Every structure is written in structure tokens, then in C-alpha cells.
Amino acid sequence: MAFPSSSSPQGKYDVFLSFRGADTRNNFTSHLYAALCQKKINAFIDDEELERGEQISPSLLNAIEQSKISLIIFSKGYASSRWCLEELEKILECKNNNGQIVMPVFHNIDPSDVRSQNGTFGDAFAEHEEQFKGRQDMVQRWRIVLRDAANLSGFDSNVIRGPELF
């Protein structure tokens, strides 16, 4: 895939990486980030771009808005993070309002579990519904954005593309 030039006025970042840190930060995501940087693609990853003392929420929301592409790395624990779900809401808002390119990556998770909120995604939503009893509208929005994001064309780590090398 060709990435837009960093000098484009559309955004400060070429790529925003949305991921559950506990699941993928020190393996898949760190390798992906390194590969993007090696190719001179300006990628935002939360642990290296935030200035000390800055509030996380506004900084991440701003980075999403200033990105041309968002890669959503769905993993088993993604839906258990309220912040991941709020990021996802913002990402799809930027897709719908600003034409941001959004690509899901299903990392060791079945895309249908994300789409239908089954498995660990179902467990996470059972907890969210209990925790946010007075805010079911928020939980429902999260369900919708997960389904919408899972319906986008993306990459599934469980499907091998191209010839297998042994």
C-alpha cells in the first residue's frame, strides 16, 4: 500500500496505531511501528509521542484527528479497554467526517468475534454493561463502532497470504 506523503497538509501523522498495550505493545505493535519508521512513515504510537505531563485523552484524540490513516489492531483484550473503545469511536468519526483511511488488523482474534462481540469481546461487553448501567447508550455506541470497524476490509493474522516459506 502506498502511504500519503508526510508533507501533506491533511495531517501531522501518516498512521495512528490503535491497540491494547497489554496485548500487543511489546510484540506485534512494536515490530509494526519499527517497520513503519524504517520506511519513513510517520506513525503515532502512544508511548513515544506524548509529552510528559500532558493528559492522555486529549493528546490521543488530537493525534487521531491529525492522522491520515488509522490501523486498529484488534486483539483478545481490545474490547476490555474503555479507552480503546473511545479511540475507536473517534477513529470512525474521522473516517466518516474527514475521509480518514481505517484498516483493521485482527491479531490472533477471529474477525467474527469482533463483529458479533463473541468470545473475549462478549465477556468484555458483559463487564461494560455491568459497570456502565446508567450509560447503556455509550455501551451501545461501542458495539456499533466495533461492528462497523470489523466490517472494513483489513488483515487477519490467522490467514496466511502468499506462499508459505519453510
Side-chain angles (χ1 to χ4, degrees), residues 5-122:
S5 167
S6 301
S7 62
S8 170
Q10 289 178 294
K12 180 177 179 181
Y13 301 102
D14 295 317
V15 178
F16 178 88
L17 298 173
S18 177
F19 61 98
R20 176 78 168 132
D23 291 353
T24 68
R25 180 185 308 278
N26 295 320
N27 49 55
F28 179 80
T29 302
S30 63
H31 294 292
L32 175 60
Y33 179 70
L36 291 170
C37 290
Q38 185 178 34
K39 294 290 185 182
K40 306 283 190 255
I41 295 169
N42 186 16
F44 181 95
I45 189 168
D46 70 351
D47 65 344
E48 293 187 12
E49 297 291 332
L50 293 179
E51 295 179 24
R52 296 207 184 275
E54 202 172 359
Q55 290 183 354
I56 292 175
S57 305
S59 299
L60 288 176
L61 295 175
N62 190 40
I64 292 167
E65 289 175 354
Q66 294 182 20
S67 297
K68 297 171 196 141
I69 298 169
S70 283
L71 291 179
I72 307 161
I73 303 164
F74 289 118
S75 59
K76 291 187 186 321
Y78 189 92
S80 66
S81 167
R82 175 184 178 176
W83 186 245
C84 284
L85 296 170
E86 290 179 5
E87 272 184 19
L88 184 60
E89 267 191 289
K90 184 65 173 180
I91 288 167
L92 289 187
E93 175 187 312
C94 289
K95 175 189 178 300
N96 294 332
N97 295 340
N98 307 332
Q100 186 178 92
I101 297 167
V102 177
M103 296 180 60
V105 176
F106 301 95
H107 180 67
N108 295 326
I109 187 83
D110 189 319
S112 67
D113 285 348
V114 179
R115 190 176 302 112
S116 304
Q117 287 107 53
N118 293 323
T120 59
F121 280 68

Side-chain angles (χ1 to χ4, degrees), residues 143-156:
R143 286 185 178 280
I144 292 167
V145 295
L146 270 173
R147 185 197 67 232
D148 290 350
N151 282 330
L152 296 171
S153 180
F155 302 96
D156 182 350

Side-chain angles (χ1 to χ4, degrees), residues 130-145:
E130 182 64 30
Q131 182 180 5
F132 301 110
K133 281 187 178 185
R135 303 201 52 204
Q136 291 303 307
D137 59 322
M138 178 178 68
V139 176
Q140 186 59 32
R141 281 194 323 268
W142 293 343
R143 286 185 178 280
I144 292 167
V145 295

